[in-house]
Amino acid sequence: MTFSAEHGEHTSDRPGGTPEAGDAPARRGRVRARRAAVMAVPAAAVAAGLAILTAEGALGVQFAISGMPFTVTATELNGTGFAQFGALDEMAEGSPNAGDTGGQVLVVTSVIRNATLTKLCQSVDLGGTNLVIRAGEGAQKVTASDLTTDSTQLSGDAAFNNIEIGNDASTLDKAGPKGRGPKGVFSQQSDTVHIANLRQTNYATTAGVFKLPGLKLGFSESGC
């Protein structure tokens, strides 16, 4: 049995080209392997592209992340000036949390120029106990300017006003300068965003100003 790499076809060494009984399972196995390889290319290509952009300074890396994910919840989030695009977060060199990721985490960056959050909860699992921060549970809400979150998961009931989907991230303008991503990266933006029952898994959060009325910090057996 021989394989033609140029045309991707199998040919038989037997007279008349009659396939042997064991040829079909082998062919199916090779086809499945090729399909699996093709399906893996997009995610790998995105990560590689973002890594190059990070090295070239196109992606603004603000700090080395710890590599420990944390949960953020809020009963309600309202924001003006919203942008979202892909990014790549980097851990400190030699971080024990790197595992087999090479110290890189592919994330979705969300930027809100001005945001208010009701009943904010943030927790990080420290292994057997959780560090929990709560704020905005009274009459005053949590407020933030240039709020930026790097997330691997986000859920809730969302509504957007004047949304644009599929922009080049370098052209975004609704969330201000900090809401602009690298050229060639898929993105979206809107004038306003409303999310009820917000839940995020984040690796980083930054803000220009972050006001946390009624702040409570402590340890708990359960997180948010």
Side-chain angles (χ1 to χ4, degrees), residues 11 50 123 145 152 193 200:
T11 59
L50 290 172
S123 65
S145 63
T152 53
V193 57
Q200 293 177 303

Side-chain angles (χ1 to χ4, degrees), residues 63-135:
F63 54 79
I65 63 170
S66 69
M68 298 177 66
F70 55 95
T71 300
V72 174
T73 65
T75 56
E76 187 176 50
L77 178 150
N78 286 287
T80 57
F82 171 79
Q84 195 172 66
F85 49 87
L88 194 68
D89 283 353
E90 299 267 0
M91 301 177 204
E93 186 175 354
S95 171
N97 299 320
D100 58 0
T101 67
Q104 298 176 331
V105 181
L106 189 62
V107 296
V108 174
T109 295
S110 302
V111 183
I112 304 176
R113 196 162 196 172
N114 292 289
T116 61
L117 300 100
T118 304
K119 294 185 178 179
L120 174 69
C121 179
Q122 177 179 299
S123 65
V124 58
D125 186 350
L126 301 177
T129 188
N130 294 269
L131 176 62
V132 181
I133 295 174
R134 299 182 186 275

Side-chain angles (χ1 to χ4, degrees), residues 24-201:
R27 184 183 299 113
R28 286 197 295 270
R30 279 188 283 269
V31 169
R32 283 196 295 268
R34 288 199 298 275
R35 286 177 178 171
V38 169
M39 291 174 66
V41 166
V46 170
L50 290 172
I52 292 170
L53 290 168
T54 301
E56 293 177 346
L59 283 175
V61 179
Q62 295 172 307
F63 54 79
I65 63 170
S66 69
M68 298 177 66
F70 55 95
T71 300
V72 174
T73 65
T75 56
E76 187 176 50
L77 178 150
N78 286 287
T80 57
F82 171 79
Q84 195 172 66
F85 49 87
L88 194 68
D89 283 353
E90 299 267 0
M91 301 177 204
E93 186 175 354
S95 171
N97 299 320
D100 58 0
T101 67
Q104 298 176 331
V105 181
L106 189 62
V107 296
V108 174
T109 295
S110 302
V111 183
I112 304 176
R113 196 162 196 172
N114 292 289
T116 61
L117 300 100
T118 304
K119 294 185 178 179
L120 174 69
C121 179
Q122 177 179 299
S123 65
V124 58
D125 186 350
L126 301 177
T129 188
N130 294 269
L131 176 62
V132 181
I133 295 174
R134 299 182 186 275
E137 296 184 326
Q140 290 184 293
K141 298 180 180 181
V142 172
T143 59
S145 63
D146 294 326
L147 177 64
T148 303
T149 58
D150 289 356
S151 312
T152 53
Q153 290 185 339
L154 187 156
S155 64
D157 301 312
F160 304 89
N161 185 40
N162 293 329
I163 191 168
E164 301 171 1
I165 301 173
N167 311 58
D168 186 294
S170 67
T171 67
L172 298 179
D173 57 7
K174 293 182 182 290
K178 293 188 177 181
R180 191 172 296 123
K183 185 176 291 186
V185 172
F186 181 93
S187 68
Q188 59 184 8
Q189 65 175 358
S190 64
D191 288 345
T192 66
V193 57
H194 168 82
I195 304 177
N197 303 313
L198 171 69
R199 188 174 189 86
Q200 293 177 303
T201 299

